[in-house]
Amino acid sequence: MRQISVWLAAARLRTLPLSVSGIIVGNGIAYLEGSFSWAIFIFALLTTVAFQVLSNFANDYGDGVKGTDNDQRLGPKRVLQQGLLSRAALKRGIQLTSVISLLLALILIYLAFGWADWGKALFFIALGVASIIAAIKYTVGDAAYGYYALGDVFVFLFFGGVSVLGSYYLQTQTFRLLLILPAASIGLLSTAVLNLNNLRDMDNDQRSNKLTVPLLLGFNKGRIYHVILIVGAFILCSIYAFLNAKSLLAYLFLLLFFPLGKHLLRVAKSEGGKSLDPELKVVALSTFFFALVFLLGLFLDLR
């Protein structure tokens, strides 16, 4: 039982609601448009969760090996840092989770395209492989892109674009240009979670030679960047609602600006460090509920 709890700690289950937010939006819009399969939705969720767990294992391993996870780091202690798992064990976990992620992705692609359309299937297989590589290379290896201020780009593209647009396409096999707006909104909010994490850990990241966007911008401009990410998400979804709405119910997601607005005020007053730690949960859960309330508003607007 103790080993199970250790692996669950390494999986960081609290990160999963954020990771599935884009899947909920993409599949939800497909459902509202009358093109929906429960099997595709369930396997899209399972695949995304597997990718997120893989990323968490890889981050634990990569930051642990590089020494970034140390006593000066302000976030929760990770399993390799605490010696709860060996490097070899965590590496085997990464390998096993990579295989599981790929198998789930293949099942998802088969459910969407069958045996007939191999052109589209091969594209999504390549996308799945790229997702696995990106999840691992964020912190693992000498050229880990998370150490070169590129983590924000990864999160925006995969949590927003790939998650929303990809899951919508798997359901409908069509692409709508306007869906870039809600996809970018989820991407921006997800990036805000990473930015907040990096704002908190600026001092330790600098000592560990881990370059992040806040280190490039400085703390004050990093906070301004944080405001742009969150406010930008609401602006883009408001444009989407304006272009599609029949009533004000489509703007229901704006209710989420109250907790996030208060969050921005707290960040503005913060001097960084440990005081930002509770705010990570606020933004992550708000993003999840943003996805749900956004879809609820669209549903009520259609009735």
Side-chain angles (χ1 to χ4, degrees):
M1 288 297 292
R2 185 176 179 278
Q3 276 297 101
I4 294 175
S5 65
V6 169
W7 282 105
L8 289 176
R12 284 187 279 161
L13 301 183
R14 67 184 179 279
T15 64
L16 300 186
L18 177 67
S19 68
V20 301
S21 298
I23 298 296
I24 290 171
V25 170
N27 281 273
I29 294 176
Y31 176 84
L32 293 175
E33 293 181 358
S35 181
F36 183 81
S37 161
W38 278 105
I40 291 175
F41 175 55
I42 290 169
F43 271 91
L45 286 176
L46 291 174
T47 303
T48 301
V49 167
F51 283 148
Q52 183 62 48
V53 171
L54 170 62
S55 179
N56 291 340
F57 285 172
N59 290 349
D60 199 310
Y61 180 87
D63 284 338
V65 168
K66 289 179 170 64
T68 308
D69 288 342
N70 52 50
D71 292 339
Q72 284 74 48
R73 183 177 177 272
L74 298 175
K77 292 186 182 298
R78 294 175 177 172
V79 296
L80 186 60
Q81 177 188 2
Q82 299 179 77
L84 298 175
L85 287 175
S86 67
R87 291 187 183 186
L90 196 49
K91 196 171 184 178
R92 288 194 295 270
I94 293 170
Q95 293 167 345
L96 178 60
T97 312
S98 297
V99 172
I100 293 172
S101 300
L102 184 57
L103 287 175
L104 288 171
L106 290 173
I107 294 171
L108 172 62
I109 292 165
Y110 171 74
L111 289 171
F113 303 114
W115 298 109
D117 202 336
W118 272 103
K120 294 175 182 177
L122 286 173
F123 173 79
F124 274 89
I125 290 171
L127 193 59
V129 172
S131 298
I132 291 172
I133 294 171
I136 295 172
K137 292 297 292 181
Y138 178 60
T139 58
V140 175
D142 294 333
Y145 62 88
Y147 280 69
Y148 294 93
L150 293 174
D152 293 47
V153 176
F154 162 79
V155 168
F156 178 78
L157 290 177
F158 282 86
F159 280 63
V162 173
S163 188
V164 176
L165 300 176
S167 61
Y168 175 83
Y169 192 90
L170 288 169
Q171 289 282 10
T172 66
Q173 298 192 31
T174 59
F175 173 77
R176 286 207 298 121
L177 191 62
L178 277 180
L179 289 183
I180 291 176
L181 295 172
S185 294
I186 297 296
L188 289 173
L189 289 172
S190 300
T191 305
V193 176
L194 176 62
N195 183 61
L196 196 62
N197 182 84
N198 291 336
L199 281 169
R200 180 198 65 191
D201 291 336
M202 282 182 68
D203 291 340
N204 189 54
D205 286 342
Q206 188 168 32
R207 285 191 295 267
S208 304
N209 295 316
K210 181 179 182 180
L211 185 62
T212 62
V213 171
L215 281 175
L216 283 175
L217 297 176
F219 183 70
N220 289 332
K221 289 183 180 178
R223 287 189 296 184
I224 295 172
Y225 172 59
H226 192 67
V227 173
I228 292 171
L229 290 171
I230 291 178
V231 174
F234 281 89
I235 290 174
L236 292 179
C237 258
S238 296
I239 295 172
Y240 180 83
F242 176 77
L243 294 173
N244 289 275
K246 298 177 182 177
S247 71
L248 291 177
L249 289 170
Y251 296 89
L252 195 62
F253 66 89
L254 290 175
L255 291 174
L256 270 297
F257 195 74
F258 288 100
L260 284 172
K262 291 181 179 179
H263 155 78
L264 289 176
L265 290 175
R266 290 192 294 270
V267 171
K269 295 175 182 178
S270 169
E271 295 181 0
K274 197 70 176 176
S275 65
L276 292 174
D277 207 36
E279 302 303 321
L280 283 162
K281 185 177 180 180
V282 173
V283 183
L285 288 178
S286 294
T287 301
F288 177 70
F289 286 111
F290 179 94
L292 294 177
V293 176
F294 172 69
L295 287 174
L296 176 61
L298 293 182
F299 174 76
L300 294 174
D301 182 60
L302 289 173
R303 295 190 69 180

